[in-house]
């Protein structure tokens, strides 16, 4: 709330000072008394009382002008030093103290024989009356003073007191003025603010909002999270340097429930920004073929057995497998048989697919995404190889019966096809060359592991030794 300009504040008291000064001068001329300080404060003769009244009015007017000028000067310095305007309550209190002091001085000088102290202290009744009459006012005043001392919020902050939320417009000696988001002005008295709990969203603070939405179970969370995060960070009034956080808050009955947390530049515009965020999410979903969830009931008809756990049909799996180097020599029937026994699995970024030291009964082919092969070096994991689409892993434990040699972790959202021991065994029987091709890969990978091992490598196995061990393990001899 802006104060009236200084000019209009001092115009009237200045005029009054001039008028009463002139009156005093005229009275002095008429009375013919010598012009002195005493003449103003203790005038004698017939015109004595008139002169005293004129003098009191003159000095009161001068005091008014002086206090207002002083107030302006002091708080100009305050603004220059602190960089912001002093609260209205502080300015009012400053003026009040000066007014009371000036009034006491003026009255004391003009009525030097009257003891004001005795007058005030003697009047217990006046005290009680004043105390009762000003109970609420004083309560507000003191609560206002403690609000200023505490500084829980400032003009421009968004606060919630009781059921009211709005931007603080002013803090006066009586109340806090809030402008709600429906443009209503609410005055909450300082004493009720002191009693209530207040939620404060500082004007220049990093205030966040959370917006909820739901997506279908068939939409990948990694994709949803990425798409929404990018859409929200572009919104107007969203802080650029704080990346929005999108996360799953619940696996609901008919949707995966998400929340997006974002930070605002200007918190007082959160209603508009929430709406814009929702709008951007809608468009981003549309562009990326994602679907909003709504209450649904899905009826599952039994599917023919050719589908794997992740919804791929046999032909698609066979096509994916044919892209793998080592399976290139296989006939269409063999690929079909392999596909029938393989199943698709999807992993989130960072999920472990294979853990070093575990027993292994299957191998995997990367059909989408990529994985990291990691070994522990001096207690810290180190990626020794990244395998992409068409690569396979997990063959070492499957073909030798030894524990898994490394951790394999999804580097991004990754789909793999899992192939079990039995499927490989029947392939080996019809394709003896396959064993040899695989034993080469295993040997190469073992060399890679040895190069990255901190411990001294064990005794190396010859390719022929490895080959015969695989044959033996699969009962191919
Ligand atoms: P397995 O030992 O069953 O489980 C870990 C897998 O990581 C392993 O089979 C290989 O498929 C793979 N792996 C281990 N070392 C390497 C390497 N040097 N290069 C590529 N893949 C590897």
């Amino acid at each position: 709330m802006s104060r009236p300009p200084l000019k209009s504040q001092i115009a009237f008291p200045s005029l009054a000072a001039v008028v009463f000064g002139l009156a005093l001068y005229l009275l002095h001329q008429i009375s013919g008394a010598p012009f002195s300080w005493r003449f103003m404060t203790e005038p004698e003769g017939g015109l004595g009382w008139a002169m005293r009244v004129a003098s009191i009015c003159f000095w009161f007017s001068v005091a008014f002008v002086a206090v207002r000028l002083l107030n302006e000067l002091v708080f100009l310095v305050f603004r220059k030093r602190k960089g912001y305007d002093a609260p209205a309550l502080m300015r009012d209190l400053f003026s009040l103290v000066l007014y009371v002091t000036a009034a006491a001085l003026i009255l004391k000088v003009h009525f030097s024989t009257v003891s004001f102290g005795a007058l005030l202290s003697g009047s217990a009744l006046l005290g009680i009356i004043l105390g009762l009459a000003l109970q609420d006012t004083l309560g507000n005043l003191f609560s206002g003073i403690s609000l200023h001392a505490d500084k829980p919020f400032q003009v421009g902050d968004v606060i919630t007191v009781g059921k009211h939320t709005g931007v603080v417009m002013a803090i006066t000696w009586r109340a806090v003025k809030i402008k709600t988001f429906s443009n209503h002005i609410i005055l909450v008295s300082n004493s009720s603010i002191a009693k209530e709990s207040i939620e404060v969203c500082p004007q220049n603070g990093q205030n966040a909002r959370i917006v909820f939405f739901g997506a279908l179970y068939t939409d990948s969370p990694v994709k949803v999270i990425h798409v929404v995060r990018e859409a929200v960070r572009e919104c107007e009034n969203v802080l650029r340097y704080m990346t929005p956080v999108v996360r799953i808050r619940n696996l609901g009955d008919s949707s995966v429930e998400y929340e997006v947390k974002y930070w605002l530049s200007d918190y007082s515009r959160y209603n508009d920004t929430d709406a814009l965020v929702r709008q951007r999410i809608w468009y981003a979903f549309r562009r990326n073929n994602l679907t909003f969830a709504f209450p649904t009931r899905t009826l599952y008809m039994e599917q023919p057995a050719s589908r794997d756990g992740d919804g791929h049909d046999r032909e698609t799996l066979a096509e994916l497998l044919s892209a793998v180097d080592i399976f290139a020599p296989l006939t269409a029937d063999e690929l079909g048989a392999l596909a029938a026994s393989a199943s698709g699995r999807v992993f989130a970024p960072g999920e472990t697919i294979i853990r070093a030291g575990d027993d292994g009964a299957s191998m995997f082919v990367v059909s989408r995404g990529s994985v990291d092969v990691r070994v522990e070096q001096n207690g810290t994991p180190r990626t020794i190889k990244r395998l992409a689409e068409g690569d396979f892993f997990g063959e070492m434990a499957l073909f030798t019966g030894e524990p898994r040699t490394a951790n394999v972790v999804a580097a991004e959202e990754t789909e793999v096809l899992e192939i079990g021991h039995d499927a490989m065994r029947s392939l080996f029987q019809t394709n003896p060359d396959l064993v040899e091709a695989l034993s080469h890969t295993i040997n190469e990978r073992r060399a890679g592991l040895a190069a990255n091992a901190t411990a001294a490598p064990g005794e190396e196995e010859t390719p022929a030794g490895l080959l015969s061990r695989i044959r033996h393990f699969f009962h191919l001899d």
Side-chain angles (χ1 to χ4, degrees), residues 354 373 384-385 393-397 404-406 408 445 448-449:
I354 280 182
V373 179
I384 58 164
K385 186 85 186 168
F393 59 92
E395 77 296 342
M396 291 168 89
R404 298 287 193 196
T405 52
V408 181
R445 289 183 172 181
L449 281 175

Side-chain angles (χ1 to χ4, degrees), residues 387-405:
L387 302 174
E389 250 170 64
D391 288 336
F392 61 90
F393 59 92
E395 77 296 342
M396 291 168 89
L398 176 68
F399 298 148
T400 60
E402 289 169 358
R404 298 287 193 196
T405 52

Side-chain angles (χ1 to χ4, degrees), residues 168-449:
V168 177
M169 305 296 292
I171 308 166
T172 69
W173 60 271
R174 200 187 77 73
V176 173
K177 199 174 188 181
I178 301 173
K179 190 171 179 187
T180 68
F181 296 116
S182 339
N183 242 10
H184 298 162
I185 301 289
I186 310 262
L187 288 165
V188 189
S189 69
N190 289 342
S191 47
S192 49
I193 288 223
K195 282 183 220 139
E196 296 251 13
S197 51
I198 324 163
E199 186 188 329
V200 182
C201 305
Q203 194 176 16
N204 298 319
Q206 292 173 346
N207 298 298
R209 293 281 300 168
I210 294 182
V211 168
F212 304 103
F213 63 95
L216 288 188
Y217 270 98
T218 44
D219 291 334
S220 133
V222 170
K223 186 173 175 188
V224 172
I225 288 171
H226 174 75
V227 162
V228 171
R229 190 174 44 219
E230 294 312 307
V232 173
R233 78 194 318 171
E234 293 299 319
C235 289
E236 197 237 319
N237 198 31
V238 170
L239 272 185
R240 289 280 173 272
Y241 60 89
M242 299 287 282
T243 308
V245 176
V246 187
R247 54 197 169 203
I248 297 178
R249 56 187 281 271
N250 191 27
L251 298 175
D253 284 346
S254 45
S255 66
V256 179
E257 293 165 21
Y258 293 87
E259 63 182 25
V260 49
K261 178 176 179 183
Y262 69 92
W263 285 262
L264 298 98
S265 312
D266 177 1
Y267 188 73
S268 64
R269 291 196 286 129
Y270 72 76
N271 279 325
D272 291 342
T273 315
D274 277 2
L276 184 65
V277 163
R278 291 189 192 103
Q279 193 200 70
R280 290 293 169 85
I281 294 176
W282 188 92
Y283 282 107
F285 262 49
R286 194 62 175 252
R287 276 195 306 274
N288 292 281
N289 295 324
L290 297 169
T291 319
F292 281 107
F294 46 88
T296 50
R297 186 169 294 265
T298 310
L299 289 181
Y300 275 103
M301 312 301 284
E302 203 174 331
Q303 291 291 329
S306 73
R307 279 185 179 273
D308 76 336
D310 213 50
H312 294 111
D313 59 32
R314 198 172 294 174
E315 289 74 50
T316 318
L317 291 187
E319 209 175 296
L320 289 169
L321 288 170
S322 67
V324 180
D325 293 353
I326 51 159
F327 297 138
L330 301 188
T331 63
D333 286 350
E334 283 169 337
L335 279 174
L338 189 61
S341 57
S343 47
R345 310 252 179 268
V346 64
F347 289 88
E351 250 191 305
T352 302
I353 306 170
I354 280 182
R355 199 162 267 114
D358 283 358
D359 289 337
S362 51
M363 63 174 281
F364 301 85
V365 171
V366 181
S367 56
R368 182 171 66 84
S370 57
V371 299
D372 287 336
V373 179
R374 289 184 190 167
V375 289
E376 293 267 320
Q377 269 188 349
N378 302 323
T380 45
R382 182 161 178 270
T383 300
I384 58 164
K385 186 85 186 168
R386 172 157 291 192
L387 302 174
E389 250 170 64
D391 288 336
F392 61 90
F393 59 92
E395 77 296 342
M396 291 168 89
L398 176 68
F399 298 148
T400 60
E402 289 169 358
R404 298 287 193 196
T405 52
N407 288 316
V408 181
V409 178
E412 57 194 293
E413 193 183 68
T414 301
E415 268 185 319
V416 293
L417 303 178
E418 190 171 7
I419 304 167
H421 178 278
D422 292 344
M424 288 311 292
R425 186 164 183 272
S426 48
L427 266 189
F428 286 158
Q429 279 163 345
T430 47
N431 290 274
D433 292 348
L434 205 57
V435 186
E436 207 170 327
L438 278 161
S439 72
H440 279 308
T441 310
I442 294 177
N443 257 332
E444 268 169 34
R445 289 183 172 181
R446 277 185 169 173
L449 281 175

